[in-house]
Amino acid sequence: MSHATAPLIGVLALQGDVREHRAMLERAGAETLAVRRPEEVARVDGIVIPGGESTTISKLARAFGVLDPLREALHAGLPGFGTCAGMIMLAEHIEAGIAGQETFGGLDVVVRRNAFGRQVDSFEADLEVTGFDSPFHAMFIRAPWVEKVGQSVEVVARVSVVHHGERPHAAADAVGRIVAVRQGSLLATSFHPEITGDPRIHAMFVDMVRESGG
Ligand code: GLN
């Protein structure tokens, strides 16, 4: 499909910041659709998987009948962007998941759930993101990190300096951790780019969707 017009990007609407993601994608020039059903999966040129709780998203995706269709679409090349729990949902391998926790997969990474600690360990950091000419201010909420990457995975951002670590020991641990990755048409961030008003990560994904459709 070619995109002389705006691409249609779905936001998985089972849990999380659906409205905020749609607003950022629209600012970046895409049209958006809330996705809850297989028919909607079939319509979109790309899919965003918001944060929330990956175990819940996984169960809801199964209950709504979109777990297998989305898994198949992503493996067949549908561009996907996962944030926080969405990153976990895109990972082929997870650490500290619950027994039998299912993901869509696609990204050749090991992602550790709740890696930075629990809710009290939420923090903010300015990140150097590949391709950006100024830092991206990122918010982490019970975030995962990427523990291992496969050969075809590009590291897009690591934590450098932590600004508001509520627990200094957790913050010290955070430095150097991989928090954004890209593999082909898949993008994932440990943080929540939909809530800080900076559309650059969403714009990166919209570009990826346009490129994949070209
Ligand atoms: N801790 C959550 C999980 O394991 C992710 C948190 C988030 O998406 N903000 O799914």
Side-chain angles (χ1 to χ4, degrees):
M1 200 182 307
S2 86
H3 297 299
T5 54
L8 179 64
I9 301 186
V11 178
L12 186 62
L14 302 175
Q15 205 191 29
D17 293 337
V18 176
R19 194 168 5 132
E20 289 80 357
H21 275 294
R22 292 183 70 173
M24 292 299 244
L25 292 164
E26 286 165 14
R27 272 175 72 184
E31 286 179 10
T32 65
L33 180 73
V35 168
R36 287 185 202 87
R37 287 173 243 286
E39 309 85 83
E40 291 153 352
V41 173
R43 284 183 56 199
V44 296
D45 302 313
I47 184 84
V48 171
I49 303 153
E53 175 51 56
S54 56
T55 54
T56 305
I57 295 172
S58 177
K59 284 180 197 150
L60 289 173
R62 175 72 60 224
F64 278 77
V66 291
L67 195 110
D68 291 328
L70 256 178
R71 181 183 279 157
E72 283 159 24
L74 289 161
H75 284 269
L78 179 74
F81 171 27
T83 59
C84 203
M87 169 190 262
I88 298 167
M89 291 302 299
L90 285 181
E92 284 288 338
H93 308 283
I94 52 182
E95 292 286 349
I98 62 166
Q101 183 171 347
E102 294 185 285
T103 69
F104 301 125
L107 264 184
D108 183 18
V109 293
V110 177
V111 167
R112 177 171 293 278
R113 282 181 72 219
N114 299 320
F116 294 99
R118 291 275 163 190
Q119 191 103 38
V120 287
D121 296 318
S122 298
F123 64 94
E124 303 180 23
D126 284 339
L127 305 177
E128 277 178 35
V129 177
T130 306
F132 291 2
D133 53 15
S134 62
F136 187 92
H137 189 70
M139 295 208 28
F140 295 81
I141 305 166
R142 289 172 297 123
W145 67 43
V146 178
E147 205 148 283
K148 264 192 212 150
V149 296
Q151 280 188 345
S152 52
V153 178
E154 180 196 345
V155 173
V156 174
R158 291 176 189 268
V159 176
S160 43
V161 183
V162 173
H163 291 277
H164 309 291
E166 291 177 35
R167 285 205 180 168
H169 66 270
D173 254 24
V175 174
R177 296 296 177 179
I178 299 170
V179 291
V181 291
R182 179 178 172 175
Q183 178 192 332
S185 58
L186 298 178
L187 177 68
T189 63
S190 302
F191 51 92
H192 286 264
E194 75 282 7
I195 53 179
T196 39
D198 184 338
R200 288 181 292 170
I201 304 265
H202 288 81
M204 184 192 293
F205 182 60
V206 173
D207 283 348
M208 286 167 59
V209 173
R210 285 185 193 277
E211 280 160 23
S212 87

